[in-house]
Amino acid sequence: MKVGFLGPKATFTELAVKKVFPGFELEPYRTIPESMDAVVSEKVELAVVPVENTLEGTVNITLDYLTHVVQLPIVGEITIPIKQHLMVHPDNQEMWQDVTKVYSHSHAIAQCHKFLHNQFHGVPYESVSSTAAAAKMVMDHPEQRIAAIANELAAEEYELSIVQRDIHDFDHNHTRFFVLSEKGINFEEFSGSSHYKTTLMVTLPTDKAGTLHMVLSAFAWRKINLSKIESRPMKTGIGNYFFIIDLEMKLDDVLIPGAMAELEALGCGVTLLGSYPSKMV
Ligand SMILES: O=C(O)C(=O)Cc1ccccc1
């Protein structure tokens, strides 16, 4: 089975993939949407995509592409700890404090804002497609005094020197990844986890006051725990939003279908994005 992921080699996404799919054939893609397209066009059986980080919140491109462009079932969730390190080309190791630019993925830069503000005040940073792409760029340009923020594996892969370890601003830095597949993968087998979540996409009717309150109460009186509710733009006009709601339970025959029917009776649109085991590595 082939797994698509945000490349190049040694991204955090690849780390997440390797934790639960060791020995699988890996196919790196330049962007998150390209890795999802590869599932649709059957170049890979599944894709693993970052969806939320503890420090920086939702990876908007992932949720937006999943809700607006491709319809891929979420079959699993992987959460891994994230440790960010600052790395330079070995030629520039001695003068690492004189770097003229820092490259990384926008989420990684955001996770290290305090560090960058204190240690590299005034030094510009630039976001690139992934942390590993930044590391590769530093490897390819020893003549430039640039640094990358990336993980340990990237430092090894691209033969860079880590000059500052653990530069993320808060200790509890984790990222959640979705496993997407149309192949009816049983993620419980791969992850060994039987802790399930269910994710719904809910649109509200435009003309009714208090609908969000009623949506929440449909879950509340059934004692269905919500682990996340996120609003995202419908992209149809200012103020038009839909909701992504994560429920802390497996899709059953009674409670979730009952709640979904209640939301539909309120005039909401409800789509099941997946009911899947959640693995914390
Ligand atoms: O750029 C990467 O390595 C990714 O996999 C995306 C990402 C970036 C920062 C934290 C978690 C995932």
Side-chain angles (χ1 to χ4, degrees):
M1 223 171 354
K2 244 191 196 174
V3 188
F5 67 99
L6 172 68
K9 271 187 173 175
T11 55
F12 285 98
T13 310
E14 184 181 342
L15 288 183
V17 172
K18 285 185 160 163
K19 294 277 183 198
V20 286
F21 301 110
F24 278 54
E25 201 180 333
L26 304 186
E27 195 63 44
Y29 287 90
R30 209 181 45 84
T31 65
I32 296 168
E34 280 172 32
S35 70
M36 296 198 220
D37 287 344
V39 181
V40 175
S41 58
E42 300 191 351
K43 292 191 183 94
V44 295
E45 277 75 34
L46 49 95
V48 174
V49 291
V51 66
E52 184 192 356
N53 174 262
T54 348
L55 309 190
E56 189 48 17
T58 298
V59 181
N60 291 333
I61 183 71
T62 300
L63 272 194
D64 286 0
Y65 207 69
L66 194 57
T67 48
H68 288 284
V69 187
V70 291
Q71 270 96 47
L72 290 172
I74 306 165
V75 298
E77 179 184 270
I78 309 163
T79 302
I80 63 164
I82 301 288
K83 287 183 182 296
Q84 303 286 8
H85 309 308
L86 187 78
M87 51 197 75
V88 297
H89 194 281
D91 293 359
N92 295 320
Q93 193 173 343
E94 300 307 317
M95 48 219 171
W96 68 269
Q97 274 153 322
D98 300 329
V99 297
T100 54
K101 205 162 187 180
V102 179
Y103 289 88
S104 198
H105 186 274
S106 58
H107 264 240
I109 292 169
Q111 289 161 28
C112 306
H113 257 152
K114 244 184 354 191
F115 170 85
L116 291 173
H117 183 78
N118 294 335
Q119 303 279 324
F120 289 102
H121 202 82
V123 175
Y125 46 78
E126 192 171 319
S127 58
V128 291
S129 56
S130 71
T131 56
K136 186 171 183 310
M137 188 166 191
V138 171
M139 175 190 77
D140 290 340
H141 294 285
E143 77 288 358
Q144 292 179 22
R145 284 205 214 145
I146 54 176
I149 299 173
N151 62 46
E152 180 121 34
L153 188 66
E156 277 168 35
E157 177 70 35
Y158 302 107
E159 297 179 358
L160 302 181
S161 308
I162 294 181
V163 288
Q164 286 283 284
R165 283 188 174 271
D166 296 332
I167 60 168
H168 42 284
D169 295 335
F170 298 89
D171 285 342
H172 292 287
N173 192 15
H174 287 81
T175 295
R176 283 168 71 205
F177 297 83
F178 279 159
V179 183
L180 306 171
S181 180
E182 292 182 309
K183 298 282 182 220
I185 306 278
N186 181 359
F187 189 62
E188 207 172 320
E189 270 174 30
F190 297 105
S191 63
S193 171
S194 51
H195 170 68
Y196 273 74
K197 286 188 182 179
T198 299
T199 298
L200 302 177
M201 173 179 166
V202 178
T203 55
L204 304 188
T206 48
D207 53 346
K208 278 197 200 160
T211 319
L212 181 59
H213 180 103
M214 290 188 272
V215 166
L216 294 178
S217 62
F219 298 111
W221 75 257
R222 288 179 176 83
K223 296 198 172 15
I224 301 176
N225 223 357
L226 269 56
S227 57
K228 188 174 181 228
I229 175 163
E230 166 96 20
S231 59
R232 291 296 308 149
M234 301 269 283
K235 305 189 194 278
T236 53
I238 288 281
N240 299 346
Y241 281 82
F242 65 92
F243 295 89
I244 303 283
I245 301 178
D246 291 345
L247 311 176
E248 277 290 331
M249 66 175 282
K250 187 176 183 174
L251 180 63
D252 62 343
D253 294 331
V254 180
L255 288 174
I256 295 180
M260 288 172 75
E262 191 173 324
L263 302 195
E264 277 161 3
L266 291 169
C268 297
V270 190
T271 310
L272 176 71
L273 297 183
S275 187
Y276 49 85
S278 167
K279 174 75 176 174
M280 176 80 112
V281 182

